C-alpha cells in the first residue's frame, strides 16, 4: 500500500452498440493521486467508459496506457492485475459472511487452505493504515449501508488495487455517510496512495470532492477541467447542453382538507418475517403531497408494497376517501388509486408484453377497450397506446414493440403514462425519478405536482431528500419502520431530517 | 417487430428440433444403424400411409388434452405436471358415473360422463392450485405427488371395490358397456377423442388470446407483482387456469374410457400425462400450437412399433428421442434474445 498508483491515460475510447454510438473518442488522463469526477446524465456514456477501461466491454477504438505502456485489457481480471478496482452502486458483498471473510474472498490467488490467524493479522495491520475501519468479525448483514460501502472500498484497497473507479457510490447513503466516504477518498488521493475516478450525476459530489472533472454528454466529452475553475452553472450547461428543462411546476394553493389516504397503526412484516413497518399512522389530504424520507431499507419498500397490494399487512387499517380500502381492482378504479414505483420492470410491467398491452393494465377491461365487455379489443388498445406514446413522448419502435426493447427511461415513461393519464385521486409514488435524466426528472416532478394541484392526495416515498424538499407539503421521516419525525414544508431542514434518517436526533 | 420475434421463435424451435435429431442420430449410429434410414422409417411410421396417419392422430388426441393441463397453468406462471394423475382421476370418475347410466340415452350419458371426467380432473389440479395460492405449496411437487396418489387410488378401486371379476387378464373396473362407447370419426379409424382435443385447444386458445381473462392471466404469468398492483384477482385466476387445465386432462381420461377401453385399469397409466408436459413446452404454452406438437409427438409414438420391427430398436427408443427433444427445447429457451438479427433496430 505504500506504492503510489501508476499514471493512467485513456485515449480516444469509442464504443458502438448496434447503431448507437455510446462513446465517441473520449480521453481521460489520470495522474497518480488524482481525484477525477466523470459527470453526466443517465445514458451519457459514463458507465460504458469505465466498463471499457475495466475490460467488460471491448472498445471499438481507443487505448489504455498504464505507467506509460499500452495494455490491451480484455477482461476484468487483467484490469485488476494492473491495479484497477471498481466499486458499484449496489453491494457485491456476501451478507451471511463476516467482514474478514468478505475481504479475503476476493483475492484471485486464494490458497486451498486459508490461515485465518495470518489473514486477520494482515487485515488488522491494513485497517490501521486506512481512514476508516470496520470490526472484521461482524457479519456483513449487520452493517449499515454506509459501512457496507466503506467495506466495498476497503476490499478493493485490501486486494491491492490503486486506481479505484467508484460508480455512483453514494446512491444508497445518507448525505452524511456520503460526505464521510468521499472525504476519506480525497485524503487518500492527497497522500498519493490512490487514484480515484468518481462516476456521478451529482454536482455536489463533483464540486465538493474531486480535483478534476470530465463532463460527458451523449457519449462525448463536452467539457471539464480543474474543479476550482468551474462553477455549478458551468457544469450544468455542459451536462444538459441545449435541452430545455421544464420549469418546476408551481405549487398552487389547494383548499380541500378532505382526507384522501389514511393509514392507521399499520404493521407490516418483511420477507424474513421481521417487522418492517411498525405502528405507522399517517394521513394524506386531497391536494397535498406527503413525503416519506429515509435511508433505503427502513421499511419504505414494505409500506409501498402494502399500499400497492403486493404484500399483506400484519395489522392496521388503510382507508381511502374515508372508506376502508381492501385494494381490489374495483376499489382501485372507484377511488382512482394509482402507483408509481422505482424498478418498473420488476414491480409494474411485463417485459415480454407489448407497450400497448403494458399501457392497458389498468383499463383493458374497461368498456371502451372491450367488445361486449369480455373480449379485448386490440384495436382499442393500440389506439390508446398511440395517443399515450405521443403525449408522454415514449420512444418506442411502435405500440406493438415488446416492453423489454425500450430503454429504462422509456419504460418509466410507459408506467407514468398508464398511472397518471387518468383522473388521479390518490397517488402513491416511490422514487419515481430514480435513474432518470434531468429533463425526465423535471417532467415527472411537474406531473406529480400537477396531480396534487388537481386535488390528488400524493404519498411520495423517496430516498432523494432534495426531491422531497422540492415537492412535499409535509415530510415524515421513516427509521427502522417507524415514522419518527414530522415537519411541514415551511420548517423543513435538510440537516435535521438527515439526523432523524440516521436516528441521531 | 412481431415478424422478427415470430422468426426468432421459429428459428430457435427449428434449431432445437434439428439438434435433437442429430443427437438421436448419433444414438442410433452407435447401435450400428444408419440415422437416415431410421428417420425415413420414423416418418413412414408416423405419416407415410393413411393407416399410420390414423395411428398418429389416435395417439395425438389425448396428448392435446394433457398438453393443455400443463400449458394453461403455465400461462399463469405455474409449472403443473399433474396431467397423468388428472387423466386417471377423470377416467375413474367416468367409470363410476358411467356404470350407473346403463339405461340412459347414449348422447346424454356420454355428455354426463364427459362433464364428470372434466370436473374430477379440474378439481384434482384445482386443489393443487388452491394449495399453491393459499398455502404456498409448490405446485410442481404437489401435482407430481398427486399423480402417485391418483394411480394408487385407482389401483385400490380396481382391485377391490369396483373390480369386475369377469376381466381375467388384469384387474379392471366395471365396464360402462358397449352401448355407451363412442365410435370413430366417420370414414376413419380415429376415435372421437381427436375432435374433443382439437376443439378444446381452439376454445382455450380463444380464451387466452382474445378475452379479458386471458389478458389478465398473461399479466399474472409475466409478473405477479404487476398483477398484484393492477388489483387482479390472482387466487381466482390461479384456480381457474388449474381447473381448466385439469379438466382437459380429466376429459382425456373420459375419452380413454368411452372411446378406447370401456373400463378403468392400469391401461390408463401409459404416460400420456407426462408426454403432455413435453407437448406444452414444445408449444411454448400456446394452445393452438399444442394441436400440432401433439400430432408430431403422436407420430413419434406411433412409429415406435415400426422401428422395433425393422431395426430391432428397443421400445424405449422413441422415449429417448422424446427426452432429447425436451432437453433440446429447454436448452433452446435460453437462447432467446441472444441473436442480433432478431433484435429490432435501435429506437
Amino acid at each position: 500500500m505504500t506504492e503510489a498508483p501508476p499514471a493512467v491515460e485513456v485515449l480516444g475510447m469509442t464504443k458502438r452498440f448496434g447503431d448507437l454510438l455510446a462513446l465517441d473518442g473520449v480521453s481521460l488522463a489520470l495522474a497518480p493521486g488524482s481525484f477525477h469526477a466523470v459527470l453526466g446524465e443517465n445514458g451519457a456514456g459514463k458507465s460504458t467508459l469505465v466498463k471499457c477501461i475495466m475490460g467488460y466491454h471491448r472498445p471499438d477504438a481507443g487505448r489504455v496506457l498504464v505507467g506509460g505502456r499500452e495494455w490491451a485489457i480484455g477482461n476484468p481480471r487483467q484490469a485488476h492485475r494492473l491495479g484497477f478496482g471498481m466499486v458499484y452502486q449496489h453491494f457485491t458483498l456476501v451478507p451471511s459472511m463476516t467482514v474478514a471473510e468478505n475481504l479475503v474472498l476476493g483475492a484471485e490467488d486464494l490458497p486451498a487452505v486459508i490461515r485465518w490467524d495470518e489473514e486477520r493479522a494482515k487485515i488488522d495491520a491494513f485497517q490501521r493504515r486506512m481512514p476508516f475501519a470496520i470490526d472484521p468479525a461482524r457479519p456483513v448483514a449487520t452493517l449499515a449501508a454506509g459501512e457496507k460501502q466503506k467495506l466495498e472500498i476497503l476490499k478493493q484497497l485490501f486486494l491491492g488495487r490503486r486506481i479505484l473507479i467508484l460508480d455512483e457510490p453514494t446512491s444508497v447513503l445518507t448525505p452524511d455517510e456520503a460526505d464521510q466516504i468521499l472525504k476519506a477518498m480525497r485524503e487518500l488521493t492527497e497522500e498519493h496512495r490512490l487514484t480515484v475516478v468518481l462516476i456521478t450525476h451529482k454536482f455536489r459530489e463533483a464540486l465538493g470532492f474531486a480535483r478534476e472533472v470530465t463532463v460527458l454528454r451523449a457519449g462525448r466529452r463536452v467539457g471539464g477541467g480543474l474543479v476550482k475553475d468551474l462553477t455549478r452553472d458551468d457544469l450544468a450547461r455542459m451536462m444538459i447542453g441545449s435541452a430545455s428543462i421544464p420549469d418546476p411546476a408551481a405549487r398552487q394553493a389547494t383548499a380541500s382538507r378532505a382526507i384522501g389516504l389514511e393509514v392507521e397503526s399499520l404493521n407490516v412484516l418483511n420477507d424474513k418475517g421481521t417487522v418492517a413497518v411498525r405502528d405507522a399512522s399517517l394521513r394524506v389530504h386531497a391536494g397535498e403531497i406527503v413525503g416519506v424520507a429515509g435511508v433505503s431499507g427502513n421499511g419504505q419498500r414494505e409500506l409501498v408494497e402494502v399500499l400497492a397490494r403486493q404484500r399483506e399487512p400484519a395489522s392496521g387499517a388503510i382507508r381511502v376517501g374515508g372508506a376502508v380500502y381492501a385494494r381490489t381492482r374495483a376499489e382501485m378504479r372507484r377511488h382512482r388509486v394509482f402507483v408509481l414505483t422505482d424498478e418498473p420492470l420488476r414491480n409494474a410491467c411485463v417485459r415480454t408484453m407489448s407497450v400497448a398491452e403494458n399501457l392497458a393494465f389498468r383499463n383493458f377491461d374497461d368498456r371502451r377497450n372491450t367488445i361486449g365487455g369480455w373480449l379485448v379489443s386490440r384495436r382499442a388498445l393500440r389506439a390508446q397506446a398511440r395517443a399515450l406514446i405521443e403525449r408522454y413522448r415514449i420512444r418506442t419502435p411502435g405500440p406493438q414493440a415488446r416492453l423489454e426493447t425500450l430503454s429504462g427511461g422509456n419504460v418509466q415513461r410507459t408506467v407514468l403514462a398508464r398511472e397518471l393519464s387518468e383522473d388521479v385521486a390518490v397517488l402513491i409514488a416511490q422514487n419515481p425519478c430514480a435513474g432518470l435524466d434531468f429533463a425526465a426528472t423535471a417532467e415527472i416532478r411537474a406531473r406529480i405536482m400537477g396531480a396534487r394541484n388537481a386535488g390528488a392526495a400524493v404519498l411520495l416515498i423517496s430516498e432523494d431528500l432534495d426531491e422531497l424538499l422540492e415537492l412535499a407539503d409535509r415530510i415524515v421521516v421513516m427509521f427502522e419502520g417507524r415514522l419518527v419525525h414530522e415537519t411541514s414544508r415551511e420548517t423543513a431542514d435538510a440537516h435535521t431530517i438527515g439526523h432523524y434518517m440516521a436516528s441521531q436526533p | 417487430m412481431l415478424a422478427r420475434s415470430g422468426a426468432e421463435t421459429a428459428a430457435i424451435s427449428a434449431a432445437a428440433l434439428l439438434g435433437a435429431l442429430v443427437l438421436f442420430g448419433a444414438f442410433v449410429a452407435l447401435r450400428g444403424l444408419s440415422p437416415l434410414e431410421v428417420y425415413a422409417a420414423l416418418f413412414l411410421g408416423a405419416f407415410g400411409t393413411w393407416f399410420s396417419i390414423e395411428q398418429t392422430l389416435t395417439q395425438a388426441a389425448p396428448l392435446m388434452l394433457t398438453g393443455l393441463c400443463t400449458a394453461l397453468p403455465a400461462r399463469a406462471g405455474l409449472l403443473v405436471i399433474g396431467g397423468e394423475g388428472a387423466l386417471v382421476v377423470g377416467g375413474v370418475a367416468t367409470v363410476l358415473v358411467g356404470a350407473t347410466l346403463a339405461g340412459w340415452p347414449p348422447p346424454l350419458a356420454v355428455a354426463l360422463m364427459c362433464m364428470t371426467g372434466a370436473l374430477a380432473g379440474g378439481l384434482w389440479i384445482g386443489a393443487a392450485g388452491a394449495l399453491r395460492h393459499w398455502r404456498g405449496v409448490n405446485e410442481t411437487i404437489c401435482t407430481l405427488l398427486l399423480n402417485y396418489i391418483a394411480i394408487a387410488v385407482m389401483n385400490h378401486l380396481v382391485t377391490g371395490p369396483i373390480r369386475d371379476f369377469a376381466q381375467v387378464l388384469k384387474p379392471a373396473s366395471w365396464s360402462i358397456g358397449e352401448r355407451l362407447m363412442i365410435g370413430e370419426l366417420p370414414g376413419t379409424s380415429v376415435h372421437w377423442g381427436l375432435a374433443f382435443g382439437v376443439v378444446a385447444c381452439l376454445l382455450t386458445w380463444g380464451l387466452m388470446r382474445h378475452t379479458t381473462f386471458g389478458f389478465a392471466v398473461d399479466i399474472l404469468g409475466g409478473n405477479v407483482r404487476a398483477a398484484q398492483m393492477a388489483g387482479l384477482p390472482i387466487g381466482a385466476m390461479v384456480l381457474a387456469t388449474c381447473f381448466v387445465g385439469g379438466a382437459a386432462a380429466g376429459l382425456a381420461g373420459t375419452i380413454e374410457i368411452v372411446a378406447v377401453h370401456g373400463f378403468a385399469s392400469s391401461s390408463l397409466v401409459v404416460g400420456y400425462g407426462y408426454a403432455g408436459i413435453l407437448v406444452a413446452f414444445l408449444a411454448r404454452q400456446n394452445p393452438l400450437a399444442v394441436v400440432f406438437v401433439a400430432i408430431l409427438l403422436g407420430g413419434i409414438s406411433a412409429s415406435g412399433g415400426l422401428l422395433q420391427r425393422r431395426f430391432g430398436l428397443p421400445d424405449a427408443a422413441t422415449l429417448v428421442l422424446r427426452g432429447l427433444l425436451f432437453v433440446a427445447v429447454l436448452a433452446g429457451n435460453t437462447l432467446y434474445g441472444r441473436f442480433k438479427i432478431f433484435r429490432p433496430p435501435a429506437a
Side-chain angles (χ1 to χ4, degrees):
Chain A
M1 254 338 277
T2 45
E3 199 185 317
V8 175
E9 264 189 281
V10 177
L11 297 170
M13 207 52 100
T14 300
K15 176 74 191 171
R16 271 176 189 287
F17 295 109
D19 298 334
L20 179 75
L21 187 55
L23 210 54
D24 185 6
V26 174
S27 300
L28 208 60
L30 303 167
S34 54
F35 193 139
H36 199 117
V38 177
L39 192 67
E41 293 199 75
N42 273 72
K46 301 172 306 224
S47 292
T48 310
L49 173 65
V50 298
K51 281 181 179 158
C52 285
I53 298 174
M54 289 297 293
Y56 287 103
H57 292 327
R58 184 172 294 273
D60 295 314
R63 298 182 296 156
V64 178
L65 274 57
V66 181
R69 231 190 98 182
E70 182 175 343
W71 299 83
I73 301 177
N75 58 50
R77 215 165 244 263
Q78 289 173 341
H80 292 158
R81 240 171 269 138
L82 290 169
F84 289 100
M86 187 141 174
V87 173
Y88 302 89
Q89 209 164 338
H90 301 289
F91 302 122
T92 60
L93 303 164
V94 184
S96 57
M97 295 172 84
T98 65
V99 169
E101 286 166 338
N102 270 284
L103 283 175
V104 171
L105 66 80
E108 285 180 8
D109 50 354
L110 205 57
V113 178
I114 299 170
R115 311 184 57 167
W116 280 106
D117 42 348
E118 280 179 25
E119 294 291 345
R120 246 174 242 127
K122 259 203 307 202
I123 290 170
D124 286 342
F126 163 75
Q127 290 223 30
R128 271 196 293 280
R129 287 181 278 118
M130 289 294 125
F132 39 72
I134 301 169
D135 177 3
R138 280 179 66 187
V140 164
T142 67
L143 300 179
E147 290 173 308
K148 284 186 192 158
Q149 197 58 284
K150 284 178 191 169
L151 180 56
E152 291 277 5
I153 291 168
L154 285 177
K155 185 169 116 186
Q156 295 300 322
L157 300 177
F158 184 72
L159 297 174
R161 295 170 191 163
R162 304 291 145 60
I163 308 145
L164 219 51
I165 300 173
L166 310 175
D167 188 1
E168 309 264 5
T170 60
S171 54
V172 292
L173 307 181
T174 66
D176 284 352
E177 285 173 329
D179 285 359
Q180 202 191 353
I181 285 178
L182 292 175
K183 192 159 154 279
M185 291 290 99
R186 170 85 186 212
E187 282 163 14
L188 287 171
T189 59
E190 275 166 3
E191 294 163 18
H192 280 65
R193 290 160 71 183
L194 197 63
T195 298
V196 171
V197 179
L198 173 68
I199 311 291
T200 184
H201 63 273
K202 295 180 185 162
F203 298 122
R204 199 180 66 84
E205 293 177 354
L207 291 169
F209 299 96
R211 256 190 311 271
E212 286 165 78
V213 61
T214 290
V215 183
L216 297 185
R217 189 174 75 234
R220 282 204 150 88
R221 183 184 188 279
V222 288
L226 291 175
V227 165
K228 64 179 167 59
D229 303 331
L230 293 164
T231 66
R232 195 191 150 93
D233 285 347
D234 297 333
L235 293 179
R237 215 169 306 123
M238 292 174 196
M239 218 163 133
I240 299 157
S242 56
S244 65
I245 298 295
D247 290 329
R251 178 183 307 273
Q252 291 162 11
T254 46
S256 163
R257 296 313 286 164
I259 296 170
L261 172 69
E262 185 178 11
V263 170
E264 197 181 313
S265 311
L266 191 70
N267 285 284
V268 184
L269 305 182
N270 63 15
D271 291 335
K272 291 180 204 138
T274 55
V275 181
V277 177
R278 205 179 285 270
D279 208 22
S281 297
L282 59 84
R283 288 174 172 185
V284 187
H285 299 90
E288 179 187 45
I289 299 178
V290 172
V292 177
V295 178
S296 154
N298 276 289
Q300 301 99 316
R301 176 171 293 279
E302 287 80 5
L303 174 63
V304 172
E305 283 175 344
V306 164
L307 295 174
R309 194 172 169 262
Q310 292 173 334
R311 186 178 288 278
E312 293 304 309
S315 66
I318 305 169
R319 283 185 280 273
V320 169
V324 172
Y325 177 60
R327 306 173 300 165
T328 63
R329 191 168 173 86
E331 283 183 341
M332 287 176 188
R333 193 169 298 173
R334 187 164 70 241
H335 294 300
R336 288 170 288 132
V337 180
F338 293 90
V339 182
L340 281 179
T341 65
D342 56 358
E343 297 186 70
L345 278 180
R346 186 176 106 86
N347 286 312
C349 298
V350 177
R351 56 172 73 230
T352 52
M353 290 173 87
S354 71
V355 174
E357 287 169 330
N358 272 282
L359 282 169
F361 283 6
R362 290 279 181 202
N363 61 18
F364 67 88
D365 47 358
D366 269 7
R367 184 165 312 159
R368 64 193 146 100
N369 287 332
T370 58
I371 304 159
W374 59 282
L375 286 180
V376 175
S377 162
R378 300 276 159 183
R379 178 193 302 228
L381 296 195
R382 275 198 299 275
Q384 158 172 292
R386 272 193 290 270
L388 289 176
I389 285 169
E390 193 184 325
R391 209 167 115 208
Y392 285 81
R393 298 196 301 282
I394 302 165
R395 289 219 296 186
T396 163
Q400 299 298 93
R402 282 204 214 179
L403 192 75
E404 63 188 350
T405 63
L406 270 57
S407 73
N410 283 303
V411 171
Q412 204 117 338
R413 279 175 186 280
T414 305
V415 177
L416 191 73
R418 180 177 83 208
E419 302 292 324
L420 287 187
S421 57
E422 298 185 42
D423 185 17
V424 182
V426 174
L427 177 67
I428 295 134
Q430 182 192 22
N431 299 322
C433 305
L436 297 184
D437 63 25
F438 280 115
T441 298
E443 184 189 332
I444 289 181
R445 289 182 184 165
R447 289 193 193 270
I448 290 174
M449 185 59 85
R452 170 207 177 272
N453 290 341
V458 181
L459 184 65
L460 173 65
I461 295 99
S462 179
E463 284 154 29
D464 181 348
L465 197 47
D466 296 332
E467 178 168 87
L468 294 175
L469 291 168
E470 179 189 328
L471 292 179
D473 296 286
R474 270 190 298 144
I475 295 178
V476 295
V477 179
M478 200 159 183
F479 178 74
E480 291 188 344
R482 291 175 201 279
L483 301 176
V484 292
H485 179 66
E486 179 176 333
T487 173
S488 73
R489 166 176 185 75
E490 290 72 30
T491 57
D493 162 51
H495 198 66
T496 317
I497 292 173
H499 275 278
Y500 278 103
M501 282 162 64
S503 115
Q504 300 150 341
Chain B
M1 193 46 233
L2 282 178
R4 268 170 198 276
S5 66
E8 183 176 27
T9 306
I12 290 179
S13 303
L17 188 65
L18 196 68
L21 290 182
V22 167
L23 286 174
F24 185 69
F27 168 74
V28 295
L30 274 178
R31 298 184 56 96
L33 300 168
S34 153
L36 290 180
E37 280 177 32
V38 170
Y39 283 132
L42 196 115
F43 182 80
L44 205 66
F47 307 105
T49 64
W50 177 239
F51 173 75
S52 56
I53 290 176
E54 282 178 341
Q55 289 297 304
T56 294
L57 292 177
T58 304
Q59 291 279 328
L63 294 183
M64 290 176 195
L65 292 166
T66 54
L68 290 179
C69 185
T70 296
L72 293 178
R75 299 287 290 238
L78 270 62
L79 180 52
V80 163
I81 57 173
E84 191 85 12
L87 183 148
V88 166
V89 166
V92 168
T94 301
V95 166
L96 288 177
V97 170
T100 66
L101 300 179
W104 288 50
L108 194 61
V110 168
L112 213 65
M113 285 188 284
C114 287
M115 279 192 276
T116 306
L119 185 69
L123 290 176
W124 194 253
I125 301 298
L131 283 170
R132 163 68 207 226
H133 183 72
W134 282 286
R135 280 284 156 265
V137 177
N138 180 303
E139 77 282 1
T140 312
I141 307 285
C142 179
T143 50
L144 176 69
L145 296 179
L146 281 175
N147 288 343
Y148 295 117
I149 294 175
I151 294 166
V153 166
M154 182 191 72
N155 284 335
H156 167 69
L157 291 176
V158 301
T159 52
I162 62 169
R163 180 159 186 180
D164 178 0
F165 287 96
Q167 302 261 5
V168 288
L169 287 176
K170 57 181 166 184
S173 74
W174 308 323
S175 180
I176 59 167
E178 200 59 38
R179 209 172 63 87
L180 298 188
M181 300 278 288
I182 55 173
E184 280 85 41
L185 290 166
T188 70
S189 69
V190 183
H191 62 67
W192 274 95
L194 178 67
F196 281 84
V198 171
V199 169
C201 286
L202 286 176
L203 283 179
T204 48
W205 176 78
L207 178 74
M208 300 313 294
R209 177 80 188 102
H210 290 294
T211 66
T212 53
F213 173 79
F215 192 97
V217 169
D218 278 346
I219 298 176
L220 173 61
N223 185 350
V224 185
R225 295 176 66 86
Q228 289 169 327
M229 183 183 283
L232 298 172
I234 290 167
M237 284 153 61
V238 165
L239 275 190
T241 51
C242 284
F243 182 87
V244 176
L251 188 60
T254 302
I255 302 287
E256 286 298 294
I257 300 297
V258 300
V260 184
H261 303 297
F263 51 83
S265 71
S266 57
S267 305
L268 287 179
V269 191
V270 290
Y272 286 136
Y274 290 112
I277 304 168
L278 175 55
V279 171
F281 271 82
L282 277 171
R284 296 183 62 77
Q285 340 297 1
N286 179 339
L288 204 55
V290 163
V291 173
F292 300 100
V293 174
I295 291 173
L296 181 74
L297 285 195
I300 293 177
S301 311
S303 62
L306 187 63
L307 295 188
Q308 200 173 1
R309 285 195 303 277
R310 188 174 299 174
F311 300 99
L313 279 170
D315 198 28
T318 57
L319 291 182
V320 172
L321 178 54
R322 240 154 61 172
L324 287 171
L325 266 178
F326 199 30
V327 170
V329 166
L330 290 183
N333 282 348
T334 63
L335 295 178
Y336 282 87
R338 295 274 185 94
F339 300 106
K340 244 187 185 158
I341 50 165
F342 297 121
R343 269 188 226 146

